[in-house]
């Protein structure tokens, strides 16, 4: 089990060049570009607080334990901060838990992801990662910026504030606003409602 604090933003379309340039050049932390992947999410109607996904042969359950409210990090960054609990299932049989006929049901949504990450460490027990992702979901392109931090549970809001203030300092791009700040389950519900 892992407890994290997160802020996330989604926008339709391709990642703007100025945001990609900021992330690749002016953003702090070590740049990593993991291989592209596809995650399969369970979309539960009306539920924005539960996230079940099948990722690289394993299941992962995330539950939103607490909404920390609106955070005004900078004039360019305003979003909703939340505490999430993550339970990964590393059982080698996990892939069989979702049979092919279930994968094809409309409640499961495939999300193709090409991600870049910037890791930040505050000390030996706390830190976080900023992620810039290009997404492809049901023939639609989306891009996302997210910040996820870890550390002692009672310090998560403080850690989130410290890292968000640091990484947003040199931000160049369109404002990341509250209207676009929500978790993956909310994004999938919005996409599903457009069909």
């Amino acid at each position: 089990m892992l407890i994290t604090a997160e802020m996330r933003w989604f926008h339709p379309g391709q990642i703007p060049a100025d945001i990609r340039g900021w992330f690749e050049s002016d953003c702090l932390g070590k740049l990593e570009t993991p291989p592209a992947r596809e995650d399969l999410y369970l979309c539960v109607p009306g539920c924005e607080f539960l996230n079940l996904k099948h990722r690289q042969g394993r299941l992962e359950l995330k539950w939103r334990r607490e909404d920390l409210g609106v955070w005004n990090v900078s004039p360019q960054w305003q979003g909703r901060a939340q505490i999430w609990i993550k339970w990964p299932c590393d059982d080698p049989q996990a892939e069989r838990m979702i049979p092919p006929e279930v994968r094809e049901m409309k409640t499961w949504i495939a999300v193709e992801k090409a991600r870049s990450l910037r890791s930040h460490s505050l000390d030996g027990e706390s830190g976080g990662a900023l992620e810039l992702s290009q997404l492809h979901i049901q023939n639609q392109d989306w891009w996302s910026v997210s910040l996820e931090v870890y550390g002692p549970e009672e310090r998560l809001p403080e850690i989130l504030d410290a890292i968000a203030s640091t990484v947003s300092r040199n931000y160049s791009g369109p404002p990341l606003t509250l209207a676009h700040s929500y978790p993956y389950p909310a994004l999938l519900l919005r996409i599903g409602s457009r069909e």
Side-chain angles (χ1 to χ4, degrees):
M1 180 178 78
L2 178 64
I3 301 176
T4 62
E6 301 178 14
M7 294 178 76
R8 188 177 299 274
W9 296 267
F10 292 100
H11 288 267
Q14 297 289 316
I15 298 171
D18 50 358
I19 290 184
R20 189 174 295 282
W22 160 75
F23 198 87
E24 293 176 356
S25 312
D26 296 329
C27 191
L28 301 176
K30 180 183 174 189
L31 178 63
E32 299 172 53
T33 307
R37 69 177 196 226
E38 181 180 89
D39 293 343
L40 193 63
Y41 287 82
L42 177 64
C43 185
V44 179
C47 180
E48 294 186 6
F49 58 85
L50 182 67
N51 181 349
L52 177 64
K53 70 179 172 182
H54 183 256
R55 170 185 159 192
Q56 297 175 319
R58 72 179 198 179
L59 288 176
E60 184 177 283
L61 176 68
K62 283 178 73 175
W63 171 65
R64 185 185 69 215
R65 197 190 74 201
E66 185 178 352
D67 189 322
L68 299 174
V70 177
W71 283 41
N72 293 300
V73 178
S74 75
Q76 294 287 89
W77 281 39
Q78 181 188 57
R80 184 159 297 284
Q82 300 175 329
I83 302 285
W84 288 81
I85 300 176
K86 185 186 301 185
W87 290 279
C89 176
D90 292 318
D91 186 324
Q93 300 298 315
E95 192 154 4
R96 292 193 202 174
M97 296 169 92
I98 307 175
E101 61 273 15
V102 172
R103 288 172 190 262
E104 293 173 14
M105 297 173 77
K106 288 191 175 189
T107 53
W108 288 93
I109 297 177
V111 178
E112 297 172 33
K113 300 179 180 179
R115 305 173 307 136
S116 296
L117 303 168
R118 290 277 188 180
S119 299
H120 300 272
S121 180
L122 293 178
D123 52 48
E125 63 178 2
S126 61
L130 185 68
E131 179 181 285
L132 178 64
S133 299
Q134 181 65 59
L135 310 172
H136 190 72
I137 309 166
Q138 294 186 342
N139 298 317
Q140 299 177 37
D141 289 322
W142 289 80
W143 60 272
S144 172
V145 173
S146 67
L147 176 60
E148 179 178 297
V149 303
Y150 62 89
E153 187 176 349
E154 66 280 1
R155 290 186 52 223
L156 285 175
E158 168 196 335
I159 296 164
L160 182 64
D161 190 50
I163 294 180
S165 296
T166 300
V167 299
S168 67
R169 201 170 293 144
N170 295 328
Y171 177 75
S172 59
L176 299 176
T177 64
L178 184 60
H180 294 277
S181 180
Y182 40 85
Y184 262 102
L187 171 69
L188 299 178
L189 288 171
R190 288 169 193 231
I191 290 174
S193 70
R194 293 179 177 184
E195 291 185 2

